[in-house]
């Protein structure tokens, strides 16, 4: 899927890919991509498989954040997460759950999250990002990695990242790991928002000086087949994959 947004000086081209674990249906994918091109807000959320109702939590985080007007500050994000967590927990009130599910529900749900806001209405485009967990933003320029957050190398990924918790008291324990950063873009810069398996794969490619922008040479179906082949070859973990690619180009003055 590809689309474009324009300002007077800049054009933004977007592509995205969502791929469930091998052997799973699309309806079982716990990664989500949020897009609001009008307000230039984009997000990726990755639900923690072992958590209760993680798929709904990740979907809520990705889709609702891009449509919100929450500022990119720790305080605003805290308030927004608390409100979304309350709404999620309220949706469970009518459920009849076995005791073990009730135990998990009391702990709430968890997801990794990365959100990006772009400003194209300036002489030089700028971005601001917010992230918690192991969903990542990568900024690439001329085939080189110039920014990666909140993780910066493939060895940093592990099985127990601090995540966005739907339960306020648990979120408070992890919010010190919240990362907020900003930067600027040049013509033909590419920004990626990635869930953990894709982020680790991209970072490893850069570390091996073997980066190739899959979406420059593959359409949506071909990109899907490419990542499926990487899984079969053992070069990427069999996990849900979310990739949001944003390319910034200067418009011709003619």
């Amino acid at each position: 899927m590809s689309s474009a947004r324009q300002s007077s000086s800049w054009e933004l081209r977007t592509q995205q890919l969502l791929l469930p674990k091998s052997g799973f249906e699309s309806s079982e994918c716990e990664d989500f991509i949020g897009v609001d091109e009008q307000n230039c807000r984009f997000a990726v959320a990755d639900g923690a498989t072992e958590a209760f109702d993680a798929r709904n939590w990740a979907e809520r985080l990705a889709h609702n954040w891009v449509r919100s007007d929450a500022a990119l500050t720790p305080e605003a994000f805290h308030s927004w997460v608390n409100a979304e967590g309350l709404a999620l927990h309220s949706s469970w009130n009518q459920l009849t759950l076995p005791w073990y599910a009730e135990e998990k529900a009391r702990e709430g749900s968890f997801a990794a999250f990365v959100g990006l806001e772009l400003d194209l209405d300036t002489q030089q485009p700028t971005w601001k990002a917010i992230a918690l967990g192991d969903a990542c933003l990568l900024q690439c320029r001329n085939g080189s990695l110039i920014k990666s957050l909140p993780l910066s190398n493939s060895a940093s990924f592990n099985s127990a990242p601090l995540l966005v918790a739907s339960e306020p008291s648990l979120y408070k324990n992890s919010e010190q790991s919240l990362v907020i950063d900003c930067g600027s873009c040049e013509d033909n810069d590419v920004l990626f928002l990635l869930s953990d398996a894709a982020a680790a794969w991209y970072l490893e490619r850069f570390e091996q000086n073997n980066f190739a922008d899959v979406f420059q040479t593959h359409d949506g179906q071909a990109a899907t087949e490419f990542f499926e082949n990487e899984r079969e070859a053992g070069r990427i973990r069999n996990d849900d994959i979310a990739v949001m690619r944003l390319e910034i180009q200067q418009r011709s003055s003619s």
Side-chain angles (χ1 to χ4, degrees):
M1 177 180 177
S2 179
S3 57
R5 180 190 182 276
Q6 294 181 348
S7 69
S8 58
S9 302
W10 299 93
E11 182 175 358
L12 175 67
R13 295 191 172 275
T14 66
Q15 295 166 282
Q16 57 180 281
L17 179 145
L18 268 178
L19 187 62
K21 302 176 187 71
S22 180
F24 286 71
E25 300 295 327
S26 296
S27 60
E28 298 174 284
C29 183
E30 292 172 326
D31 284 2
F32 287 89
I33 295 171
V35 176
D36 185 339
E37 288 206 4
Q38 182 176 355
N39 293 309
C40 266
R41 283 170 75 114
F42 308 90
V44 162
D46 176 4
T49 299
E50 66 279 5
F52 183 77
D53 207 17
R55 190 171 189 274
N56 282 335
W57 181 229
E59 181 178 22
R60 180 179 288 275
L61 290 175
H63 292 174
N64 292 358
W65 184 84
V66 299
R67 295 195 296 262
S68 77
D69 57 2
L72 275 75
T73 65
E75 298 78 14
F77 192 69
H78 188 159
S79 297
W80 180 80
V81 167
N82 283 356
E84 292 296 333
L86 179 62
L88 178 74
H89 288 226
S90 295
S91 72
W92 302 337
N93 290 340
Q94 304 304 316
L95 300 178
T96 302
L97 302 172
W99 66 268
Y100 53 86
E102 286 184 352
E103 289 289 329
K104 293 189 76 172
R106 273 194 284 272
E107 296 178 0
S109 198
F110 300 86
F113 175 85
V114 59
L116 175 74
E117 185 174 88
L118 284 169
D119 185 357
L120 301 180
D121 297 317
T122 53
Q123 186 174 358
Q124 184 175 30
T126 58
W127 59 263
K128 194 169 186 180
I130 187 166
L132 181 57
D134 51 12
C136 293
L137 163 70
L138 274 58
Q139 182 178 6
C140 309
R141 182 173 298 158
N142 299 322
S144 296
L145 180 67
I146 65 170
K147 190 76 172 183
S148 177
L149 65 88
L151 304 179
S152 59
N153 60 75
S154 61
S156 298
F157 292 82
N158 59 59
S159 60
L162 290 171
L163 301 173
V164 181
S166 63
E167 168 55 48
S169 62
L170 295 178
Y171 174 74
K172 209 169 172 67
N173 294 334
S174 61
E175 68 175 339
Q176 72 274 9
S177 297
L178 184 70
V179 172
I180 297 176
D181 207 341
C182 59
S184 59
C185 298
E186 297 181 1
D187 189 24
N188 297 316
D189 275 8
V190 177
L191 300 167
F192 290 99
L193 298 180
L194 306 158
S195 56
D196 60 339
W201 181 88
Y202 271 97
L203 287 170
E204 189 172 15
R205 300 282 82 69
F206 280 112
E207 291 159 5
Q208 297 174 350
N209 295 314
N210 188 31
F211 171 70
D213 192 342
V214 177
F215 293 89
Q216 280 191 329
T217 54
H218 296 70
D219 61 19
Q221 182 56 41
T224 295
E225 292 173 359
F226 175 88
F227 280 110
E228 287 175 339
N229 290 336
E230 288 295 280
R231 280 177 177 166
E232 290 179 9
R235 288 187 289 266
I236 190 168
R237 187 161 45 86
N238 183 23
D239 194 3
D240 298 331
I241 292 174
V243 179
M244 180 82 220
R245 181 186 186 273
L246 305 107
E247 183 174 1
I248 295 164
Q249 296 180 331
Q250 192 159 24
R251 296 184 66 189
S252 171
S253 56
S254 60

